[in-house]
Amino acid sequence: MIVVAGEALIDLVPLGAGAEGGPDAALPALAPRLGGGPYNTAVALGRLGSDVAFCSRVSRDAFGDALLDGLRTAGVDTAPVQRGDEPTTLAVASIGADGSAGYSFYVEGTADRLFTVPDALPAGTRAVSFGTCSLVLEPGASAYEELMRATAAQGLCTALDPNIRAGLIPDADAYRARFRSWLPSTTLLKLSEEDAEWLGGTPRAWLAAGPAAVVVTRGGDGLTVFTRNGGELSVPGERVDVVDTIGAGDTVNAALLHGLAHLDALSPAAVGALDGDGWARLLRFAGRAAALTCSRAGAEPPYASEVGAL
């Protein structure tokens, strides 16, 4: 069992201009899409065929119900999800000419911020994945951090994708220090080149602080893994006509965790011991999965039948 811990929210994605000639003609039409980095990771894991559960706090409003329906449709266990009467977090997406996505958030008083540490994780949990807004917005951020440290102390595999949303971080230096404090409790650190630049430091410095491996995504240029034993391996990106990049990094998270489980390497020791051939297979698999996500609008991770064998 892989548990994904973090926020679920609604992405408002632009569809085009407003009604021609009307007072709102300059405004883009926005369509709601199920999202949030951890949410997308859980859905992607379910679609790939992993045994996965989602651990979060979700509103009882109509958006919250839709989010849970999306998880269940993907085969994700929602038993660990907490519910609340507060509204669902909203993220307004803007899409650049190259398909890259930027976000502005509406997070005040929303349900996912009030997450509390569960009494226990589902039986058979082998790995827990963390990241994105859930590790920024208090008081939930401290609860997720406590869960991360507790699961690492139990010897479980922990995955971290900081997935930086700078507009939500009031004190960048304080967040960077907090990020470094998570590294001793992290087995697999995955981040984009942009996140790495914002955070400062280097993969080798991060490895020295705790992780068994660091995976850096480089957009269309591919992925690179750095391992604690000094290894470094890169694979090229998969060529695809990019519609947008929403959910691509989350799909990489899911593909790496799914692949590690497939290779029976879902433990801190096994991640550290994985050889170059294993990493090459994992990175290529993750690259194919991410490319498929980029080829369609919104966070629509692929199914196992689309990605092919590891």
Side-chain angles (χ1 to χ4, degrees), residues 97-259:
D98 62 352
S100 61
Y103 299 90
S104 57
F105 293 88
Y106 296 84
V107 300
E108 291 302 318
T110 52
D112 52 355
R113 297 186 69 161
L114 299 180
F115 172 80
T116 57
V117 179
D119 292 333
L121 292 175
T125 296
R126 300 176 61 197
V128 188
S129 176
F130 299 90
T132 317
C133 307
S134 56
L135 289 170
V136 175
L137 300 171
E138 296 289 6
S142 290
Y144 284 112
E145 180 178 295
E146 181 180 340
L147 181 62
M148 180 195 300
R149 298 188 195 283
T151 53
Q154 295 166 19
L156 300 182
C157 180
T158 56
L160 171 63
D161 177 10
N163 202 3
I164 300 300
R165 302 290 181 242
L168 288 177
I169 300 174
D171 186 333
D173 288 339
Y175 180 87
R176 291 180 181 114
R178 195 171 189 180
F179 162 75
R180 292 191 295 271
S181 80
W182 298 329
L183 296 178
S185 300
T186 300
T187 304
L188 175 64
L189 173 64
K190 173 261 160 187
L191 70 176
S192 68
E193 279 187 315
E194 295 80 7
D195 289 346
E197 181 178 356
W198 189 92
L199 286 164
T202 66
R204 291 294 168 207
W206 298 327
L207 285 166
V214 175
V215 173
V216 178
T217 60
R218 299 178 283 110
D221 292 330
L223 304 92
T224 300
V225 64
F226 302 84
T227 57
R228 193 183 294 162
N229 63 7
E232 178 179 341
L233 180 111
S234 295
V235 301
E238 297 281 329
R239 296 304 168 192
V240 66
D241 291 330
V242 175
V243 175
D244 64 52
T245 62
I246 298 174
D250 311 322
T251 300
V252 170
N253 293 338
L256 291 174
L257 288 167
H258 177 79

Side-chain angles (χ1 to χ4, degrees), residues 74-111:
V76 180
D77 180 3
T78 61
V81 173
Q82 305 162 20
R83 303 297 299 270
D85 293 328
E86 305 80 14
T88 298
T89 294
L90 302 178
V92 180
S94 58
I95 309 301
D98 62 352
S100 61
Y103 299 90
S104 57
F105 293 88
Y106 296 84
V107 300
E108 291 302 318
T110 52

